[in-house]
Amino acid sequence: MVKQETAGFHDGYKLWVVTLTNSKGMEVKLTNYGGSIMSVKAPDRDGSFADVVLGYDNVEGFINGTSSQGALIGRFANRISGGEFTLNGVKYSLFKNDGDNTLHGGSVGYNKRVWELVAAEYDRNSGENHVVFGYTSPDGEENFPGTVAITVEYVLDEKDTLTLIYDAESDADTVLNLTNHVYFNLKGEGDVMDTEMQIFADKYTPVDEALIPSGEIADVKGTVFDFTELRPIRNKDIDGYDHNFILRGGKKGEDELSVAAYAVEKTTGRTLTCRTDMPAMQLYTANGLGGEIGKGGKVMEKQTAFCLETQFCPDSPNKPQFASCVLKAGKAYHHVTSYQFGVVED
C-alpha cells in the first residue's frame, strides 16, 4: 500500500510524505525533502514493531536538522580533500564545510534540496511499493561541473527489503557519488555499540585526523577494522567508527547484489542485511550526534545509531588508485543498495 500526504511548502516547493506498507505490516515513511527516510517500522522476534531509524517527528525537523538524517547525499558523498579536485585538466574549488575539506556535497547538498515526487505506486502483481524522487543538479551547483539529472527509486517488497535504485546522467564529465545517510538502531533506541556486525571486506582505507584517506588500501586483519567475523561494534581501542571499507563485491547471481554488511541485535532479535553493487561502504557510528532533538522530543545521543553508507571511496576524485567516481557525459550512472530486515531466535 502507498499513501501520499501533503506537508506544506518549502522555498515554494511542495513537500510530500509518502508511506509504504507491505502485507506483513512493515512500514517505511519517506519525504521528498532531501529524499529522506523518515521512519522504518520493523518487527522483532516476538512480532512487535518499532521504528528502527533515527530522525524527526515531521518534515520540519528534517528541514532544520543538521545531521543528514535518512537523507540522500550528493553530489559527492563523504569527503574531498582540500575542497578541490581536477577533472580533464580543470581544477574545481568547492565550498569547505569540514575544516579544510568538502563533506557531503558542500554548503547545500542534496540532503537540503526538495526533490520532485516523480511516482508513487503499488504494484499488485509483485506486491511491491514504489516511490521515485527526482532532482536535476545544475551545472556549477556547489561548483561541480555538468547538469546531472537524477532519480532515486525506493522499493519496499514482501521480503521486508527496502531497495534504493540510483540512476543519473550528466551532460558533461563530472564526479558523482550518491548514498543515503540513514541512521539505524535495531533496538529502536539507546546505545548501538553492542550490536553485532559483520562487514564483507578484507581491506579498508586508512585516514588522517581529518578523516581523509592516505591513499593506502590496507588489510583489516589484526586491526580494529576487522569485521570479517560477526562481532560487537564496540572496540576498546577505538571510540567509534567513521571509516571506509573496500567491499569484496562480486554479484552472487544474475539479479542479486553482493552482501556488504550484516547486523544482529540480540535483545530484540532484529537483523539487517545490506547488499550493494557499490565498491565501498562507510561505517559511521554516529559519533557526531549529541544534542539534536529527534523523535518524541528525545535527544539523539552519540553512538545511538550506525550508518552503512554504500559509495565510492572518500576523496576518490583525488585518489586514482581508488575505483573511479567519474561519470562521463551521456553515460548512465546506475547503482543499487538494499536493506533487508529479519529476525533471529534466542
Side-chain angles (χ1 to χ4, degrees), residues 196-269:
E196 295 189 359
M197 180 80 67
Q198 184 177 9
I199 298 176
F200 292 77
D202 302 307
K203 306 283 186 179
Y204 78 105
T205 52
V207 293
D208 62 19
E209 291 183 354
L211 299 177
I212 298 297
S214 66
E216 179 187 5
I217 297 175
D219 289 333
V220 300
K221 187 175 181 179
T223 75
V224 298
F225 306 104
D226 189 349
F227 285 91
T228 54
E229 301 291 337
L230 193 67
R231 70 166 176 87
I233 297 172
R234 191 185 315 278
N235 187 297
K236 63 181 179 59
D237 295 323
I238 187 172
D239 185 20
Y241 292 87
D242 192 1
H243 295 83
N244 175 66
F245 294 80
I246 307 292
L247 299 172
R248 292 172 190 160
K251 290 190 175 183
K252 308 305 180 186
E254 183 177 352
D255 298 315
E256 295 183 23
L257 304 171
S258 298
V259 178
Y262 174 69
V264 181
E265 205 295 297
K266 288 194 170 179
T267 64
T268 64

Side-chain angles (χ1 to χ4, degrees), residues 242 278 289 304:
D242 192 1
M278 292 296 280
L289 290 185
T304 56

Side-chain angles (χ1 to χ4, degrees), residues 72-73 75-77 149-155 162-169 175-180 247 251 256-258 275-280 309-313 316 323-328 331-339:
L72 296 173
I73 305 296
R75 185 171 298 194
F76 190 89
I150 306 163
T151 61
V152 181
E153 181 177 10
Y154 298 74
V155 183
L162 176 64
T163 300
L164 280 67
I165 304 167
Y166 302 83
D167 286 288
E169 187 173 309
V175 298
L176 186 64
N177 191 18
L178 303 176
T179 195
N180 186 284
L247 299 172
K251 290 190 175 183
E256 295 183 23
L257 304 171
S258 298
R275 296 178 175 89
T276 191
D277 57 6
M278 292 296 280
E309 303 164 61
T310 59
Q311 57 188 253
F312 288 105
C313 291
S316 52
S324 176
C325 63
V326 173
L327 176 62
K328 292 289 188 178
K331 298 296 184 181
Y333 177 106
H334 176 80
H335 288 294
V336 182
T337 294
S338 69
Y339 301 101

Side-chain angles (χ1 to χ4, degrees), residues 79-202:
R79 293 168 174 85
I80 296 178
S81 63
E84 62 183 27
F85 67 94
T86 299
L87 180 63
N88 297 335
V90 178
K91 180 180 286 188
Y92 295 91
S93 296
L94 312 172
F95 184 84
K96 298 177 180 180
N97 62 334
D98 185 51
D100 192 45
N101 307 306
T102 298
L103 174 65
H104 291 338
S107 60
V108 185
Y110 296 169
N111 60 311
K112 292 296 182 182
R113 303 291 181 180
V114 179
W115 291 60
E116 178 189 358
L117 177 57
V118 177
E121 59 188 13
Y122 169 69
D123 187 329
R124 293 182 181 275
N125 293 323
S126 66
E128 294 177 344
N129 301 274
H130 298 257
V131 173
V132 181
F133 294 132
Y135 179 68
T136 299
S137 178
D139 177 45
E141 182 176 65
E142 296 292 332
N143 209 33
F144 286 95
T147 296
V148 183
I150 306 163
T151 61
V152 181
E153 181 177 10
Y154 298 74
V155 183
L156 175 63
D157 66 18
E158 290 297 297
K159 297 180 180 179
D160 287 352
T161 302
L162 176 64
T163 300
L164 280 67
I165 304 167
Y166 302 83
D167 286 288
E169 187 173 309
S170 178
D171 65 357
D173 290 359
T174 191
V175 298
L176 186 64
N177 191 18
L178 303 176
T179 195
N180 186 284
H181 209 295
V182 60
Y183 287 70
F184 295 106
N185 184 319
L186 297 180
K187 287 188 292 189
E189 59 182 1
D191 183 279
V192 299
M193 300 302 280
D194 290 324
T195 298
E196 295 189 359
M197 180 80 67
Q198 184 177 9
I199 298 176
F200 292 77
D202 302 307

